[in-house]
Amino acid sequence: MSTTGVGTFDVAVIGAGIVGSAIARELAGHELSVALLEARDDVGDGTSKANTAILHTGFDAKPGTLESRLVREGYHLLYGYAARTGIPVEHTGALLVAWTAEELDALPGLKEKAGLNGYDKTEIVGAEEVYRLAPHLGEGALGGLTVPDESIICTWTTNLALATEAVLRGVTLLLNHRVLTVEEHWESTTLRTSGGDVTARWVVNAAGLGADVVDRLFGYDRFTVTPRRGELLVYDKLARPLADRIILPVPSSRGKGVLVSPTVYGNVLLGPTAEDLLDRTDTGTSERGLEFLLEKGRKIMPELLREEVTATYAGLRAASDRQDYLIEADAEHRYVLVGGIRSTGLTAGMAIARYVTELAGKAGLPLVPRTDLPEPPRMPNLGEAFLRPYQDAERIAADPAYGKVVCFCERVTEGEIRDALTSPIPPAGLEGLRRRTRAMNGRCQGFFCGAEIGNLLEADR
């Protein structure tokens, strides 16, 4: 789609991941025309689609940082938003496990850090309590730290809900619009993209893995993004009784390490790895990475390794050479950078959006709140702990399509496929349909249902 000649937007937001979608949604709560640009053919198809999907309290963030503040605020904003829109969240709690004397000695410092971050519910426990809370852990745990408010969430639905509400508020979503060059004018900026030119008075750069590249197009050289690949193993739903809470390692300078976590879809995750790469598109899994995870898994929860693996995947985190979020507004060039947003961006996204909007307002963007906002969308439930359409007799009686299962591994119905295909932001292909419905994400990975679902997709076009 070419956008040449569509006029000048008040704001163009680059990147339709969780952070960019949240920013577009927030800006559209004001009397502004907003464009949301995405390089790929779907929202949330980059960093946002492949993470551990944990709603963080921010207990272990560096105190006093912008990240710490926005994760703390974002936790409460997203928790409330999830309740209003139907994003599945399970309040599982987490347990940090110390396996060495050094890690055990680190627990008081982590508890103190949590307090400095405004979270005072952590508790240091001994080995006996660790095994009471997580009886399937491997041998050798010396103690732990409980974090009762850590939760699991559906990252796909979060991104889609924010982007959908942005569109319902009037945002123009421009997919397949990779920014190539920037041309600044007296009162506007033209983004020359792979899908045509987009002109806006203000530009917000939330391009994730490409944020440093876009930043340089505006004449800056202030940070560098290094793609950090995180590989994960997804275990079958039969493994879920082994992990009813998030099992965290004591973090190191390399990151939060390898965890075991339940998912809202009923599976169990083991991962991620942390490997810095040069290629910003390399989301393939590796033999070395999977061997590393299996070695860690044998220590953390050996029983898990006897369960079947449903899938493996890898995501790229936008690691940077900065120790904090880099969010700055340039009033002269009417430009806001939102860079260095690591995996905590899932939790912090809505708070980042508020902060960016306030920052832009102080830099000169006129902000007049709207009084005619539509209701938030009600998203389809992908969570196993809540009522799914195939279980809803009343819904099936009203529309038999919800009783016709097409993906038997994940119990996805024809009605859900239809709804996804006719939604405000329909999927561009099968991968997008997976993220909207869970179809083809089960044991057979689409071997049984792929053809029929593909036919439904083609018939809609």
Side-chain angles (χ1 to χ4, degrees):
M1 169 186 174
S2 173
T3 51
T4 303
V6 298
T8 300
F9 294 95
D10 291 318
V11 188
V13 180
I14 303 172
I18 285 174
V19 173
S21 296
I23 292 170
R25 170 193 170 274
E26 186 71 23
L27 289 168
H30 301 80
E31 297 289 349
L32 297 168
S33 59
V34 181
L36 177 59
L37 284 65
E38 171 55 44
R40 301 174 186 247
D41 64 5
D42 198 3
V43 301
D45 194 39
T47 299
S48 294
K49 73 179 179 184
N51 56 46
T52 50
I54 295 174
L55 183 55
H56 287 295
T57 57
F59 77 97
D60 59 347
K62 184 178 180 181
T65 59
L66 182 61
E67 180 178 19
S68 169
R69 169 190 155 187
L70 296 181
V71 170
R72 183 171 64 250
E73 293 175 5
Y75 174 90
H76 297 289
L77 289 173
L78 183 50
Y79 214 104
Y81 188 67
R84 294 193 300 277
T85 58
I87 299 169
V89 174
E90 286 187 56
H91 196 93
T92 61
L95 175 66
L96 267 79
V97 179
W99 299 96
T100 67
E102 182 180 1
E103 291 175 349
L104 190 65
D105 290 343
L107 296 182
L110 287 169
K111 180 176 177 62
E112 181 182 3
K113 179 187 281 188
L116 292 173
N117 284 320
Y119 187 75
D120 59 3
K121 296 182 183 179
T122 61
E123 182 182 354
I124 296 174
V125 296
E128 183 178 350
E129 179 66 5
V130 165
Y131 284 104
R132 187 190 72 80
L133 295 172
H136 300 285
L137 283 178
E139 296 179 358
L142 302 178
L145 182 76
T146 62
V147 191
D149 292 314
E150 295 282 287
S151 302
I152 55 176
I153 189 169
C154 178
T155 183
W156 302 331
T157 310
T158 300
N159 203 147
L160 188 60
L162 292 166
T164 297
E165 186 167 15
V167 168
L168 294 178
R169 289 181 172 190
V171 169
T172 300
L173 176 62
L174 301 173
L175 300 172
N176 297 303
H177 277 64
R178 182 179 300 277
V179 176
L180 305 174
T181 61
V182 169
E183 184 177 302
E184 294 188 61
H185 311 291
W186 179 249
E187 292 185 338
S188 65
T189 298
T190 295
L191 305 173
R192 305 209 180 277
T193 84
S194 56
D197 294 351
V198 179
T199 301
R201 296 179 180 86
W202 280 76
V203 176
V204 178
N205 172 10
L209 284 167
D212 59 334
V213 176
V214 173
D215 199 42
R216 291 187 183 99
L217 295 178
F218 280 87
Y220 287 98
D221 188 14
R222 47 185 158 178
F223 78 116
T224 298
V225 169
T226 300
R228 181 166 295 164
R229 181 168 61 184
E231 300 179 50
L232 296 107
L233 293 170
V234 183
Y235 284 88
D236 188 74
K237 299 182 199 312
L238 294 174
R240 180 61 186 267
L242 298 176
D244 65 353
R245 70 191 67 232
I246 305 161
I247 304 299
L248 298 171
V250 176
S252 69
S253 59
R254 285 289 296 168
K256 297 186 177 181
V258 175
L259 56 81
V260 172
S261 176
T263 75
V264 293
Y265 321 115
N267 303 95
V268 176
L269 292 180
L270 172 65
T273 58
E275 179 185 7
D276 288 347
L277 304 174
L278 296 176
D279 186 350
R280 302 187 186 212
T281 65
D282 187 358
T283 56
T285 56
S286 66
E287 183 178 356
R288 182 178 62 182
L290 298 182
E291 286 178 351
F292 172 79
L293 291 180
L294 292 173
E295 180 183 348
K296 290 290 186 180
R298 288 188 191 97
K299 172 68 174 178
I300 301 169
M301 191 173 288
E303 287 182 66
L304 182 61
L305 271 64
R306 294 197 285 269
E307 299 294 333
E308 293 185 18
V309 173
T310 297
T312 63
Y313 69 93
L316 296 178
R317 289 164 276 174
S320 78
D321 50 0
R322 296 296 189 103
Q323 298 301 308
D324 196 2
Y325 291 170
L326 181 56
I327 305 177
E328 296 180 359
D330 180 340
E332 181 182 355
H333 296 279
R334 302 169 307 281
Y335 168 67
V336 183
L337 167 66
V338 186
I341 311 299
R342 293 173 283 275
S343 58
T344 52
L346 165 59
T347 300
M350 296 187 75
I352 292 172
R354 286 192 176 184
Y355 182 75
V356 166
T357 301
E358 292 170 2
L359 205 63
K362 291 176 182 177
L365 176 67
L367 295 176
V368 178
R370 288 174 55 185
T371 58
D372 60 343
L373 291 176
E375 289 296 314
R378 190 69 188 175
M379 304 305 293
N381 168 48
L382 303 188
E384 199 72 3
F386 310 95
L387 187 67
R388 299 275 306 285
Y390 80 92
Q391 300 167 316
D392 191 340
E394 184 176 340
R395 192 171 187 179
I396 293 168
D399 186 344
Y402 293 114
K404 183 181 179 182
V405 174
V406 292
C407 171
F408 286 88
C409 295
E410 294 297 307
R411 303 293 193 270
V412 181
T413 66
E414 187 178 284
E416 292 169 276
I417 302 292
R418 178 202 62 207
D419 291 349
L421 295 175
T422 57
S423 64
I425 307 177
L430 289 174
E431 289 305 308
L433 193 56
R434 280 178 184 259
R435 294 194 295 274
R436 286 161 174 79
T437 64
R438 282 175 43 178
M440 303 179 295
N441 276 355
R443 275 190 168 198
C444 81
Q445 289 292 291
F447 180 81
F448 180 80
C449 63
E452 183 176 359
I453 290 173
N455 289 337
L456 292 172
L457 180 62
E458 288 301 318
D460 183 69
R461 291 178 172 176

